[in-house]
Amino acid sequence: MFVHIDCNSYFASCEVATRPGLEGKPVVVANGNEAGGGVILALTAEAKALGLKRGIPLFKVRNLLRLNNVTICPADHKKYRRISRQIMDAVKQQQIILDFVQYSVDEFFGALPIEEPDEVRRYVQMVKDHITSTTHIPVSCGCSQTYTLAKVATHYAKHYSGYKGICVLTPDKRHKALSMLSIADVWGIGRKNRLKLMEKGITTAQDFADCDQHTVETLFTVAGLRTWRELRGIPSIDLHRPATQRSIMQSRTFARMTERREDIEQSVRQFASSAAAHLRAQDSVCQAVTVFLSTNRHRDDLQQYRNSGTVKLPSPTADTPTIIKAALAALSQLYREGFLYKQAGVVLTDISQSQGMQLDLFNEPADQRHRKLMQIADQLNKRFGDNTVFFN
């Protein structure tokens, strides 16, 4: 059976796990800005009980937060990535879940060579308990015949307390489970496709699974066909071979606007370094680096400026210092004094697989040394945290 592990209210759970004094109290995680505002990104069960929801701007519920002593934590994505790696390590140490992979910062997939539901539940309970005891992060788990059905099972594990955080979805229960699940909650069905299906009267996951193959092939790409097959119990998704991204972007909206060139350069260095690491992780190289820079478009009282620039590289590379140098060169073309900047970002394009890269005969030894250096840096950052090793 395939296993899906999903962390509950992950950002908020991370804050509670690292600050025990918050346990049992209403907590929200929000992205902040220079005006003290922001939007709620995650919240604990106690905060949900007050009527708070994800996506609500803080200024709209300021009084509610104050009257109920709700703790507001600024989002700390570095912390969340570190704890995510701890969860990965904890599960791998048990050697119970096979082919264990991370899908996102708070979601994981794996497999168990067992079909008997009670045995599956017993082993998954061991994994769930181990994650909670070692990282203090609560998780919900779903198990079924495909990755997509495992995600369906997790949906029920999260929303029905009777499952106690673990739902094993067997073939005999699949029809009922899919009939009760909105098409909007099916993994892999985006908003546009959802609207397309609903126009045809397909409103539940079972409605979609009941479609004939010709209809699915007419409406969707290969990805949609895979989702349809998975809902019918046919494994069709390979998470170990993710598609190569055609562009990689790293950006951030600054918590406080800044006019200091040094601050923006430091951010661009970090963005370029993270994008280069992502590039190497998918075994790719790029030949173009774009930097964009903008002021706060919501501040009509300030001068507005937005621009981007691209630097073409002489040859495809995933070398961090080379990409940083190109990003800073692009930034120097964009930066203008006298503006308060709110956002910056780095985008890598013209991406290709590194195996097909043709190297310069005379530069190959240096290139090989740089590759080894980048590999060591990536390993250290993965083990000890982002930016443990960085390049200036």
Side-chain angles (χ1 to χ4, degrees), residues 197-223:
L197 289 170
M198 293 180 73
E199 287 175 358
K200 294 183 175 295
I202 300 170
T203 60
T204 70
Q206 188 58 48
D207 290 339
F208 183 49
D210 286 339
C211 289
D212 62 85
Q213 184 168 336
H214 176 71
T215 299
V216 176
E217 290 175 337
T218 302
L219 293 173
F220 298 102
T221 61
V222 173

Side-chain angles (χ1 to χ4, degrees), residues 20 76 83 93-94 99 158 162 241 268 311:
D76 185 349
I83 294 175
Q93 287 168 3
Q94 279 189 299
D99 299 324
K158 274 179 171 286
R241 290 187 179 180
V268 167
V311 171

Side-chain angles (χ1 to χ4, degrees), residues 137-157:
I137 301 296
V139 299
S140 297
C141 306
C143 314
S144 198
Q145 282 69 44
T146 69
Y147 286 130
T148 304
L149 288 173
K151 284 267 291 186
V152 171
T154 302
H155 171 84
Y156 287 106

Side-chain angles (χ1 to χ4, degrees), residues 173-187:
K173 298 178 181 178
R174 189 167 69 221
H175 188 281
K176 183 176 181 180
L178 296 184
S179 297
M180 295 171 58
L181 187 71
S182 168
I183 194 66
D185 294 321
V186 176
W187 181 41

Side-chain angles (χ1 to χ4, degrees), residues 94-166:
Q94 279 189 299
Q95 297 183 341
I96 292 176
I97 304 294
L98 306 179
D99 299 324
F100 193 60
V101 295
Q102 183 176 26
Y103 178 71
S104 66
V105 71
D106 62 343
E107 286 186 82
F108 311 85
F109 284 98
L112 277 173
I114 306 169
E115 295 297 328
E116 206 284 314
D118 289 339
E119 281 291 284
V120 170
R121 171 175 284 278
R122 185 169 71 87
Y123 280 108
V124 172
Q125 185 70 60
M126 292 170 60
V127 174
K128 184 178 185 295
D129 292 344
H130 187 61
I131 292 173
T132 303
S133 64
T134 55
T135 67
H136 306 289
I137 301 296
V139 299
S140 297
C141 306
C143 314
S144 198
Q145 282 69 44
T146 69
Y147 286 130
T148 304
L149 288 173
K151 284 267 291 186
V152 171
T154 302
H155 171 84
Y156 287 106
K158 274 179 171 286
H159 292 89
Y160 292 85
S161 59
Y163 286 112
K164 298 181 179 179
I166 301 174

Side-chain angles (χ1 to χ4, degrees), residues 134-387:
T134 55
T135 67
H136 306 289
I137 301 296
V139 299
S140 297
C141 306
C143 314
S144 198
Q145 282 69 44
T146 69
Y147 286 130
T148 304
L149 288 173
K151 284 267 291 186
V152 171
T154 302
H155 171 84
Y156 287 106
K158 274 179 171 286
H159 292 89
Y160 292 85
S161 59
Y163 286 112
K164 298 181 179 179
I166 301 174
C167 175
V168 181
L169 181 57
T170 51
D172 59 305
K173 298 178 181 178
R174 189 167 69 221
H175 188 281
K176 183 176 181 180
L178 296 184
S179 297
M180 295 171 58
L181 187 71
S182 168
I183 194 66
D185 294 321
V186 176
W187 181 41
I189 302 294
R191 180 177 176 277
K192 289 184 179 180
N193 286 332
R194 181 173 75 242
L195 294 174
K196 192 187 303 182
L197 289 170
M198 293 180 73
E199 287 175 358
K200 294 183 175 295
I202 300 170
T203 60
T204 70
Q206 188 58 48
D207 290 339
F208 183 49
D210 286 339
C211 289
D212 62 85
Q213 184 168 336
H214 176 71
T215 299
V216 176
E217 290 175 337
T218 302
L219 293 173
F220 298 102
T221 61
V222 173
L225 181 61
R226 288 189 185 126
T227 298
W228 173 77
R229 288 170 58 85
E230 290 247 329
L231 288 175
R232 294 165 71 93
I234 306 168
S236 304
I237 295 175
D238 185 358
L239 293 179
H240 296 273
R241 290 187 179 180
T244 299
Q245 288 184 233
R246 304 170 97 177
S247 66
I248 294 174
M249 182 176 74
Q250 293 287 329
S251 68
R252 183 170 67 239
T253 299
F254 304 136
R256 296 184 180 278
M257 293 183 290
T258 181
E259 61 181 343
R260 283 169 46 86
R261 181 167 180 166
E262 296 85 354
D263 294 342
I264 298 170
E265 284 184 347
Q266 183 59 32
S267 292
V268 167
R269 288 178 188 275
Q270 293 176 358
F271 299 154
S273 181
S274 296
H278 193 147
L279 192 66
R280 291 190 294 274
Q282 66 175 32
D283 201 19
S284 299
V285 290
C286 75
Q287 201 168 358
V289 180
T290 297
V291 173
F292 62 86
L293 191 62
S294 69
T295 54
N296 190 342
R297 62 186 178 87
H298 299 293
R299 292 289 299 272
D300 295 333
D301 57 319
L302 299 175
Q303 293 187 78
Q304 296 294 311
Y305 174 74
R306 180 179 178 85
N307 206 348
S308 64
T310 300
V311 171
K312 284 281 188 179
L313 301 172
S315 60
T317 186
D319 179 64
T320 295
T322 301
I323 291 173
I324 289 177
K325 183 178 179 181
L328 292 177
L331 177 63
S332 68
Q333 301 171 14
L334 307 175
Y335 178 80
R336 300 288 184 274
E337 293 185 355
F339 293 97
L340 286 172
Y341 293 101
K342 181 63 175 175
Q343 186 180 36
V346 173
V347 186
L348 306 184
T349 55
D350 286 1
I351 292 175
S352 59
Q353 290 298 108
S354 60
Q355 294 95 328
M357 183 176 64
Q358 184 173 350
L359 299 174
D360 183 332
L361 175 63
F362 299 105
N363 290 333
E364 186 169 356
D367 183 83
Q368 292 298 332
R369 289 196 296 272
H370 274 204
R371 285 191 189 188
K372 290 179 181 178
L373 178 62
M374 295 302 100
Q375 185 178 30
I376 292 170
D378 291 343
Q379 290 172 347
L380 290 172
N381 286 329
K382 183 176 181 180
R383 182 175 180 182
F384 297 107
D386 296 338
N387 295 319

